[in-house]
Coordinates of all heavy atoms in Angstrom, one line a residue:
A2 N 0.6 2.2 -0.8 CA 1.4 3.4 -0.9 C 1.2 4.3 0.3 O 0.1 4.4 0.9 CB 0.9 4.2 -2.2
P3 N 2.3 5.0 0.7 CA 2.1 6.0 1.8 C 1.2 7.1 1.5 O 1.0 7.4 0.3 CB 3.6 6.5 2.0 CG 4.4 5.6 1.2 CD 3.6 4.9 0.2
T4 N 0.6 7.7 2.5 CA -0.3 8.8 2.2 C 0.2 10.0 3.0 O 0.9 9.9 4.0 CB -1.7 8.5 2.7 OG1 -1.7 8.2 4.1 CG2 -2.3 7.4 1.9
T5 N -0.2 11.2 2.6 CA 0.1 12.4 3.2 C -1.2 13.1 3.7 O -2.1 13.1 2.9 CB 0.8 13.4 2.3 OG1 2.0 12.7 1.8 CG2 1.3 14.7 2.9
D6 N -1.2 13.5 5.0 CA -2.5 14.1 5.5 C -2.7 15.5 4.9 O -1.7 16.3 4.7 CB -2.4 14.2 7.0 CG -2.5 12.9 7.7 OD1 -3.1 12.0 7.1 OD2 -2.0 12.8 8.8
L7 N -3.9 15.9 4.7 CA -4.3 17.2 4.4 C -5.3 17.7 5.4 O -6.3 17.0 5.7 CB -5.0 17.2 3.0 CG -5.6 18.5 2.5 CD1 -4.4 19.6 2.2 CD2 -6.3 18.3 1.2
V8 N -5.0 18.8 6.1 CA -5.9 19.2 7.2 C -7.2 19.8 6.6 O -7.2 20.6 5.7 CB -5.1 20.3 8.0 CG1 -6.0 20.8 9.2 CG2 -3.9 19.7 8.6
Q9 N -8.3 19.5 7.2 CA -9.6 20.0 6.8 C -10.0 21.0 7.8 O -10.0 20.8 9.0 CB -10.6 18.9 6.7 CG -12.0 19.4 6.3 CD -13.0 18.3 6.2 OE1 -12.8 17.2 6.7 NE2 -14.1 18.5 5.5
E10 N -10.4 22.2 7.3 CA -10.9 23.3 8.1 C -12.4 23.1 8.3 O -13.1 22.6 7.4 CB -10.7 24.6 7.4 CG -10.4 25.7 8.3 CD -10.1 27.0 7.5 OE1 -9.0 27.0 6.9 OE2 -10.9 27.9 7.4
D11 N -13.0 23.3 9.5 CA -14.4 23.2 9.8 C -15.1 24.5 9.3 O -15.1 25.5 10.0 CB -14.6 22.9 11.3 CG -16.1 22.6 11.6 OD1 -16.9 22.6 10.6 OD2 -16.4 22.4 12.7
H12 N -15.7 24.4 8.1 CA -16.3 25.6 7.5 C -17.8 25.8 8.1 O -18.4 26.8 7.8 CB -16.4 25.4 6.0 CG -15.1 25.4 5.4 ND1 -14.4 26.6 5.2 CD2 -14.3 24.4 4.8 CE1 -13.2 26.3 4.6 NE2 -13.2 25.0 4.4
H13 N -18.3 24.8 8.8 CA -19.7 24.9 9.2 C -19.9 24.9 10.7 O -21.0 24.9 11.2 CB -20.5 23.8 8.6 CG -20.4 23.7 7.1 ND1 -20.9 24.6 6.3 CD2 -19.7 22.8 6.4 CE1 -20.6 24.3 5.1 NE2 -19.9 23.2 5.1
N14 N -18.8 24.9 11.5 CA -18.8 24.9 13.0 C -19.7 23.8 13.5 O -20.4 23.9 14.5 CB -19.4 26.3 13.5 CG -18.3 27.4 13.3 OD1 -17.1 27.1 13.4 ND2 -18.8 28.6 13.2
N15 N -19.6 22.6 12.9 CA -20.3 21.4 13.3 C -19.7 20.9 14.6 O -18.5 20.9 14.8 CB -20.3 20.3 12.3 CG -21.1 20.7 11.0 OD1 -21.9 21.6 11.1 ND2 -20.7 20.1 9.9
A16 N -20.5 20.4 15.5 CA -20.0 19.9 16.7 C -19.3 18.5 16.5 O -18.4 18.2 17.2 CB -21.2 19.7 17.7
S17 N -19.8 17.7 15.5 CA -19.2 16.4 15.3 C -17.9 16.6 14.5 O -17.9 17.4 13.5 CB -20.2 15.5 14.6 OG -20.5 16.1 13.3

Side-chain angles (χ1 to χ4, degrees):
T4 60
T5 303
D6 289 335
L7 174 67
V8 178
Q9 181 179 17
E10 215 174 287
D11 186 1
H12 294 285
H13 305 290
N14 290 329
N15 294 337
S17 61

